[in-house]
mmCIF file of all heavy atoms in Angstrom:
data_model
loop_
_atom_site.group_PDB
_atom_site.id
_atom_site.type_symbol
_atom_site.label_atom_id
_atom_site.label_comp_id
_atom_site.label_asym_id
_atom_site.label_seq_id
_atom_site.Cartn_x
_atom_site.Cartn_y
_atom_site.Cartn_z
ATOM 1 N N GLY A 1 92.692 93.340 32.052
ATOM 2 C CA GLY A 1 92.278 93.932 33.322
ATOM 3 C C GLY A 1 91.767 92.885 34.284
ATOM 4 O O GLY A 1 92.074 92.918 35.490
ATOM 5 N N LEU A 2 90.983 91.936 33.785
ATOM 6 C CA LEU A 2 90.492 90.844 34.617
ATOM 7 C C LEU A 2 91.656 90.047 35.198
ATOM 8 O O LEU A 2 91.673 89.722 36.400
ATOM 9 C CB LEU A 2 89.591 89.934 33.785
ATOM 10 C CG LEU A 2 89.070 88.666 34.463
ATOM 11 C CD1 LEU A 2 88.095 89.012 35.575
ATOM 12 C CD2 LEU A 2 88.402 87.752 33.453
ATOM 13 N N THR A 3 92.627 89.739 34.367
ATOM 14 C CA THR A 3 93.797 88.964 34.801
ATOM 15 C C THR A 3 94.534 89.671 35.928
ATOM 16 O O THR A 3 94.880 89.059 36.955
ATOM 17 C CB THR A 3 94.745 88.735 33.609
ATOM 18 O OG1 THR A 3 94.064 87.972 32.611
ATOM 19 C CG2 THR A 3 96.009 88.016 34.035
ATOM 20 N N ARG A 4 94.783 90.948 35.748
ATOM 21 C CA ARG A 4 95.546 91.692 36.753
ATOM 22 C C ARG A 4 94.777 91.824 38.064
ATOM 23 O O ARG A 4 95.355 91.712 39.153
ATOM 24 C CB ARG A 4 95.908 93.070 36.192
ATOM 25 C CG ARG A 4 96.954 92.995 35.086
ATOM 26 C CD ARG A 4 97.109 94.322 34.379
ATOM 27 N NE ARG A 4 98.226 94.263 33.417
ATOM 28 C CZ ARG A 4 98.363 95.089 32.391
ATOM 29 N NH1 ARG A 4 97.470 96.059 32.194
ATOM 30 N NH2 ARG A 4 99.389 94.970 31.566
ATOM 31 N N ALA A 5 93.464 92.054 37.966
ATOM 32 C CA ALA A 5 92.657 92.202 39.177
ATOM 33 C C ALA A 5 92.625 90.901 39.984
ATOM 34 O O ALA A 5 92.790 90.907 41.219
ATOM 35 C CB ALA A 5 91.239 92.640 38.808
ATOM 36 N N ILE A 6 92.435 89.781 39.282
ATOM 37 C CA ILE A 6 92.425 88.480 39.974
ATOM 38 C C ILE A 6 93.794 88.187 40.563
ATOM 39 O O ILE A 6 93.907 87.660 41.687
ATOM 40 C CB ILE A 6 91.996 87.361 39.007
ATOM 41 C CG1 ILE A 6 90.547 87.551 38.548
ATOM 42 C CG2 ILE A 6 92.194 85.990 39.641
ATOM 43 C CD1 ILE A 6 89.521 87.436 39.646
ATOM 44 N N ALA A 7 94.858 88.524 39.841
ATOM 45 C CA ALA A 7 96.217 88.273 40.342
ATOM 46 C C ALA A 7 96.460 88.998 41.658
ATOM 47 O O ALA A 7 97.050 88.430 42.599
ATOM 48 C CB ALA A 7 97.240 88.699 39.295
ATOM 49 N N LEU A 8 96.010 90.238 41.762
ATOM 50 C CA LEU A 8 96.212 90.995 42.999
ATOM 51 C C LEU A 8 95.393 90.411 44.143
ATOM 52 O O LEU A 8 95.869 90.330 45.278
ATOM 53 C CB LEU A 8 95.842 92.462 42.778
ATOM 54 C CG LEU A 8 96.807 93.269 41.898
ATOM 55 C CD1 LEU A 8 96.319 94.706 41.768
ATOM 56 C CD2 LEU A 8 98.223 93.236 42.464
ATOM 57 N N GLU A 9 94.180 90.002 43.849
ATOM 58 C CA GLU A 9 93.321 89.460 44.901
ATOM 59 C C GLU A 9 93.806 88.109 45.424
ATOM 60 O O GLU A 9 93.498 87.744 46.563
ATOM 61 C CB GLU A 9 91.886 89.327 44.385
ATOM 62 C CG GLU A 9 91.198 90.668 44.154
ATOM 63 C CD GLU A 9 89.729 90.511 43.837
ATOM 64 O OE1 GLU A 9 89.159 89.424 44.084
ATOM 65 O OE2 GLU A 9 89.141 91.485 43.342
ATOM 66 N N THR A 10 94.544 87.383 44.612
ATOM 67 C CA THR A 10 94.985 86.034 44.996
ATOM 68 C C THR A 10 96.482 85.957 45.290
ATOM 69 O O THR A 10 97.029 84.867 45.447
ATOM 70 C CB THR A 10 94.646 85.031 43.881
ATOM 71 O OG1 THR A 10 95.282 85.435 42.661
ATOM 72 C CG2 THR A 10 93.142 84.956 43.646
ATOM 73 N N ALA A 11 97.147 87.096 45.383
ATOM 74 C CA ALA A 11 98.611 87.121 45.455
ATOM 75 C C ALA A 11 99.184 86.387 46.661
ATOM 76 O O ALA A 11 100.330 85.937 46.619
ATOM 77 C CB ALA A 11 99.104 88.567 45.443
ATOM 78 N N ARG A 12 98.416 86.225 47.725
ATOM 79 C CA ARG A 12 98.929 85.563 48.934
ATOM 80 C C ARG A 12 98.249 84.231 49.194
ATOM 81 O O ARG A 12 98.252 83.737 50.328
ATOM 82 C CB ARG A 12 98.743 86.479 50.143
ATOM 83 C CG ARG A 12 99.513 87.797 50.033
ATOM 84 C CD ARG A 12 99.462 88.595 51.308
ATOM 85 N NE ARG A 12 100.210 89.836 51.196
ATOM 86 C CZ ARG A 12 100.436 90.684 52.190
ATOM 87 N NH1 ARG A 12 99.932 90.406 53.406
ATOM 88 N NH2 ARG A 12 101.119 91.789 52.008
ATOM 89 N N THR A 13 97.716 83.622 48.157
ATOM 90 C CA THR A 13 96.916 82.411 48.350
ATOM 91 C C THR A 13 97.521 81.154 47.722
ATOM 92 O O THR A 13 96.955 80.077 47.864
ATOM 93 C CB THR A 13 95.522 82.605 47.729
ATOM 94 O OG1 THR A 13 95.663 82.761 46.311
ATOM 95 C CG2 THR A 13 94.819 83.814 48.316
ATOM 96 N N GLY A 14 98.631 81.291 47.013
ATOM 97 C CA GLY A 14 99.168 80.148 46.276
ATOM 98 C C GLY A 14 98.558 80.006 44.889
ATOM 99 O O GLY A 14 98.845 79.040 44.175
ATOM 100 N N ILE A 15 97.722 80.962 44.516
ATOM 101 C CA ILE A 15 97.080 80.966 43.197
ATOM 102 C C ILE A 15 97.747 82.029 42.338
ATOM 103 O O ILE A 15 98.041 83.130 42.821
ATOM 104 C CB ILE A 15 95.570 81.284 43.328
ATOM 105 C CG1 ILE A 15 94.881 80.241 44.202
ATOM 106 C CG2 ILE A 15 94.908 81.376 41.958
ATOM 107 C CD1 ILE A 15 93.494 80.662 44.668
ATOM 108 N N THR A 16 97.983 81.713 41.071
ATOM 109 C CA THR A 16 98.473 82.720 40.133
ATOM 110 C C THR A 16 97.466 82.886 39.006
ATOM 111 O O THR A 16 96.708 81.968 38.684
ATOM 112 C CB THR A 16 99.843 82.341 39.538
ATOM 113 O OG1 THR A 16 99.707 81.166 38.724
ATOM 114 C CG2 THR A 16 100.876 82.094 40.625
ATOM 115 N N CYS A 17 97.475 84.072 38.422
ATOM 116 C CA CYS A 17 96.591 84.371 37.298
ATOM 117 C C CYS A 17 97.382 85.161 36.269
ATOM 118 O O CYS A 17 97.880 86.262 36.560
ATOM 119 C CB CYS A 17 95.378 85.165 37.763
ATOM 120 S SG CYS A 17 94.184 85.518 36.451
ATOM 121 N N ASN A 18 97.532 84.597 35.095
ATOM 122 C CA ASN A 18 98.319 85.216 34.037
ATOM 123 C C ASN A 18 97.585 85.133 32.701
ATOM 124 O O ASN A 18 96.614 84.381 32.559
ATOM 125 C CB ASN A 18 99.683 84.520 33.919
ATOM 126 C CG ASN A 18 100.535 84.721 35.159
ATOM 127 O OD1 ASN A 18 100.940 85.830 35.482
ATOM 128 N ND2 ASN A 18 100.789 83.633 35.883
ATOM 129 N N ALA A 19 98.069 85.887 31.742
ATOM 130 C CA ALA A 19 97.484 85.878 30.405
ATOM 131 C C ALA A 19 98.549 85.509 29.380
ATOM 132 O O ALA A 19 99.701 85.955 29.473
ATOM 133 C CB ALA A 19 96.888 87.243 30.062
ATOM 134 N N LEU A 20 98.163 84.685 28.434
ATOM 135 C CA LEU A 20 99.012 84.355 27.289
ATOM 136 C C LEU A 20 98.531 85.162 26.096
ATOM 137 O O LEU A 20 97.322 85.244 25.841
ATOM 138 C CB LEU A 20 98.933 82.861 26.972
ATOM 139 C CG LEU A 20 99.460 81.918 28.043
ATOM 140 C CD1 LEU A 20 99.175 80.469 27.661
ATOM 141 C CD2 LEU A 20 100.947 82.126 28.243
ATOM 142 N N SER A 21 99.463 85.733 25.356
ATOM 143 C CA SER A 21 99.103 86.616 24.247
ATOM 144 C C SER A 21 99.775 86.144 22.963
ATOM 145 O O SER A 21 100.817 86.654 22.568
ATOM 146 C CB SER A 21 99.532 88.055 24.578
ATOM 147 O OG SER A 21 99.137 88.941 23.563
ATOM 148 N N PRO A 22 99.165 85.157 22.292
ATOM 149 C CA PRO A 22 99.789 84.636 21.066
ATOM 150 C C PRO A 22 99.613 85.590 19.882
ATOM 151 O O PRO A 22 98.645 86.352 19.802
ATOM 152 C CB PRO A 22 99.028 83.332 20.811
ATOM 153 C CG PRO A 22 98.238 83.067 22.058
ATOM 154 C CD PRO A 22 97.979 84.406 22.670
ATOM 155 N N GLY A 23 100.563 85.487 18.960
ATOM 156 C CA GLY A 23 100.419 86.156 17.676
ATOM 157 C C GLY A 23 99.619 85.277 16.733
ATOM 158 O O GLY A 23 98.646 84.630 17.143
ATOM 159 N N THR A 24 100.040 85.203 15.483
ATOM 160 C CA THR A 24 99.282 84.468 14.477
ATOM 161 C C THR A 24 99.625 82.981 14.514
ATOM 162 O O THR A 24 100.738 82.579 14.180
ATOM 163 C CB THR A 24 99.557 85.027 13.070
ATOM 164 O OG1 THR A 24 99.216 86.414 13.053
ATOM 165 C CG2 THR A 24 98.730 84.300 12.028
ATOM 166 N N VAL A 25 98.662 82.194 14.941
ATOM 167 C CA VAL A 25 98.771 80.739 14.990
ATOM 168 C C VAL A 25 98.056 80.178 13.756
ATOM 169 O O VAL A 25 97.010 80.695 13.362
ATOM 170 C CB VAL A 25 98.131 80.191 16.278
ATOM 171 C CG1 VAL A 25 98.216 78.675 16.335
ATOM 172 C CG2 VAL A 25 98.797 80.819 17.510
ATOM 173 N N PRO A 26 98.581 79.129 13.118
ATOM 174 C CA PRO A 26 97.953 78.600 11.903
ATOM 175 C C PRO A 26 96.687 77.796 12.201
ATOM 176 O O PRO A 26 96.622 76.579 11.983
ATOM 177 C CB PRO A 26 99.044 77.733 11.281
ATOM 178 C CG PRO A 26 99.868 77.275 12.441
ATOM 179 C CD PRO A 26 99.874 78.454 13.395
ATOM 180 N N THR A 27 95.676 78.481 12.703
ATOM 181 C CA THR A 27 94.385 77.851 12.946
ATOM 182 C C THR A 27 93.640 77.678 11.627
ATOM 183 O O THR A 27 93.989 78.314 10.617
ATOM 184 C CB THR A 27 93.551 78.725 13.887
ATOM 185 O OG1 THR A 27 93.340 79.996 13.261
ATOM 186 C CG2 THR A 27 94.262 78.937 15.217
ATOM 187 N N PRO A 28 92.610 76.853 11.598
ATOM 188 C CA PRO A 28 91.829 76.711 10.354
ATOM 189 C C PRO A 28 91.311 78.041 9.823
ATOM 190 O O PRO A 28 91.296 78.269 8.606
ATOM 191 C CB PRO A 28 90.687 75.779 10.790
ATOM 192 C CG PRO A 28 91.285 74.944 11.873
ATOM 193 C CD PRO A 28 92.198 75.876 12.620
ATOM 194 N N ALA A 29 90.898 78.943 10.730
ATOM 195 C CA ALA A 29 90.384 80.248 10.283
ATOM 196 C C ALA A 29 91.465 81.060 9.581
ATOM 197 O O ALA A 29 91.212 81.691 8.543
ATOM 198 C CB ALA A 29 89.832 81.020 11.477
ATOM 199 N N ILE A 30 92.675 81.045 10.128
ATOM 200 C CA ILE A 30 93.774 81.792 9.515
ATOM 201 C C ILE A 30 94.164 81.172 8.180
ATOM 202 O O ILE A 30 94.390 81.879 7.181
ATOM 203 C CB ILE A 30 94.993 81.839 10.458
ATOM 204 C CG1 ILE A 30 94.703 82.761 11.643
ATOM 205 C CG2 ILE A 30 96.247 82.287 9.727
ATOM 206 C CD1 ILE A 30 94.563 84.235 11.284
ATOM 207 N N LEU A 31 94.232 79.847 8.134
ATOM 208 C CA LEU A 31 94.617 79.184 6.888
ATOM 209 C C LEU A 31 93.590 79.439 5.796
ATOM 210 O O LEU A 31 93.947 79.636 4.619
ATOM 211 C CB LEU A 31 94.799 77.682 7.128
ATOM 212 C CG LEU A 31 95.928 77.305 8.101
ATOM 213 C CD1 LEU A 31 95.972 75.801 8.313
ATOM 214 C CD2 LEU A 31 97.282 77.805 7.583
ATOM 215 N N THR A 32 92.323 79.455 6.165
ATOM 216 C CA THR A 32 91.277 79.778 5.191
ATOM 217 C C THR A 32 91.423 81.211 4.707
ATOM 218 O O THR A 32 91.244 81.503 3.512
ATOM 219 C CB THR A 32 89.886 79.573 5.821
ATOM 220 O OG1 THR A 32 89.747 78.203 6.195
ATOM 221 C CG2 THR A 32 88.780 79.936 4.839
ATOM 222 N N LYS A 33 91.756 82.111 5.616
ATOM 223 C CA LYS A 33 91.963 83.511 5.246
ATOM 224 C C LYS A 33 93.122 83.645 4.263
ATOM 225 O O LYS A 33 93.025 84.386 3.268
ATOM 226 C CB LYS A 33 92.225 84.347 6.500
ATOM 227 C CG LYS A 33 92.339 85.837 6.241
ATOM 228 C CD LYS A 33 92.460 86.599 7.553
ATOM 229 C CE LYS A 33 92.489 88.103 7.298
ATOM 230 N NZ LYS A 33 92.554 88.863 8.579
ATOM 231 N N ILE A 34 94.203 82.933 4.511
ATOM 232 C CA ILE A 34 95.363 82.972 3.610
ATOM 233 C C ILE A 34 94.988 82.440 2.232
ATOM 234 O O ILE A 34 95.385 82.994 1.198
ATOM 235 C CB ILE A 34 96.538 82.159 4.196
ATOM 236 C CG1 ILE A 34 97.031 82.784 5.506
ATOM 237 C CG2 ILE A 34 97.675 82.035 3.193
ATOM 238 C CD1 ILE A 34 97.715 84.100 5.368
ATOM 239 N N GLU A 35 94.219 81.372 2.211
ATOM 240 C CA GLU A 35 93.774 80.818 0.929
ATOM 241 C C GLU A 35 92.966 81.843 0.144
ATOM 242 O O GLU A 35 93.095 81.968 -1.078
ATOM 243 C CB GLU A 35 92.938 79.562 1.170
ATOM 244 C CG GLU A 35 93.745 78.368 1.666
ATOM 245 C CD GLU A 35 92.861 77.205 2.074
ATOM 246 O OE1 GLU A 35 91.620 77.321 1.919
ATOM 247 O OE2 GLU A 35 93.402 76.184 2.551
ATOM 248 N N GLY A 36 92.136 82.588 0.847
ATOM 249 C CA GLY A 36 91.344 83.618 0.190
ATOM 250 C C GLY A 36 92.206 84.737 -0.364
ATOM 251 O O GLY A 36 91.961 85.237 -1.477
ATOM 252 N N ILE A 37 93.223 85.134 0.401
ATOM 253 C CA ILE A 37 94.143 86.173 -0.065
ATOM 254 C C ILE A 37 94.895 85.699 -1.298
ATOM 255 O O ILE A 37 95.043 86.434 -2.287
ATOM 256 C CB ILE A 37 95.128 86.550 1.056
ATOM 257 C CG1 ILE A 37 94.385 87.242 2.203
ATOM 258 C CG2 ILE A 37 96.243 87.440 0.522
ATOM 259 C CD1 ILE A 37 95.225 87.465 3.445
ATOM 260 N N ALA A 38 95.362 84.442 -1.263
ATOM 261 C CA ALA A 38 96.096 83.888 -2.396
ATOM 262 C C ALA A 38 95.225 83.859 -3.655
ATOM 263 O O ALA A 38 95.678 84.196 -4.754
ATOM 264 C CB ALA A 38 96.609 82.489 -2.066
ATOM 265 N N ALA A 39 93.971 83.441 -3.487
ATOM 266 C CA ALA A 39 93.060 83.379 -4.634
ATOM 267 C C ALA A 39 92.779 84.770 -5.182
ATOM 268 O O ALA A 39 92.759 84.976 -6.408
ATOM 269 C CB ALA A 39 91.763 82.690 -4.222
ATOM 270 N N ALA A 40 92.557 85.729 -4.295
ATOM 271 C CA ALA A 40 92.232 87.090 -4.732
ATOM 272 C C ALA A 40 93.399 87.749 -5.458
ATOM 273 O O ALA A 40 93.193 88.540 -6.388
ATOM 274 C CB ALA A 40 91.827 87.934 -3.528
ATOM 275 N N LYS A 41 94.621 87.421 -5.062
ATOM 276 C CA LYS A 41 95.802 88.040 -5.665
ATOM 277 C C LYS A 41 96.479 87.146 -6.696
ATOM 278 O O LYS A 41 97.543 87.498 -7.217
ATOM 279 C CB LYS A 41 96.808 88.412 -4.570
ATOM 280 C CG LYS A 41 96.270 89.476 -3.610
ATOM 281 C CD LYS A 41 97.334 89.927 -2.627
ATOM 282 C CE LYS A 41 96.819 91.074 -1.770
ATOM 283 N NZ LYS A 41 97.839 91.563 -0.814
ATOM 284 N N ALA A 42 95.852 85.995 -6.965
ATOM 285 C CA ALA A 42 96.389 85.044 -7.950
ATOM 286 C C ALA A 42 97.849 84.728 -7.665
ATOM 287 O O ALA A 42 98.714 84.757 -8.554
ATOM 288 C CB ALA A 42 96.217 85.590 -9.367
ATOM 289 N N THR A 43 98.116 84.397 -6.404
ATOM 290 C CA THR A 43 99.474 84.055 -6.002
ATOM 291 C C THR A 43 99.454 82.723 -5.267
ATOM 292 O O THR A 43 98.388 82.148 -5.015
ATOM 293 C CB THR A 43 100.070 85.164 -5.103
ATOM 294 O OG1 THR A 43 101.453 84.889 -4.871
ATOM 295 C CG2 THR A 43 99.331 85.241 -3.771
#
């Protein structure tokens, strides 16, 4: 909502406002989570 509101307010100014929506990136937190799942399921 913030992205869309700013985009409308700046639409004629040479400024753009957009949002990036990534899925699962192999960040340290995700990799640690996977390690925990593997250990819990002995896989």
Side-chain angles (χ1 to χ4, degrees):
L2 175 68
T3 298
R4 290 170 174 159
I6 295 295
L8 289 180
E9 291 188 16
T10 58
R12 298 188 179 186
T13 65
I15 300 165
T16 66
C17 183
N18 295 295
L20 296 174
S21 183
T24 302
V25 179
T27 61
I30 289 293
L31 297 177
T32 299
K33 185 174 183 178
I34 296 291
E35 289 172 3
I37 293 171
K41 296 186 175 181
T43 188

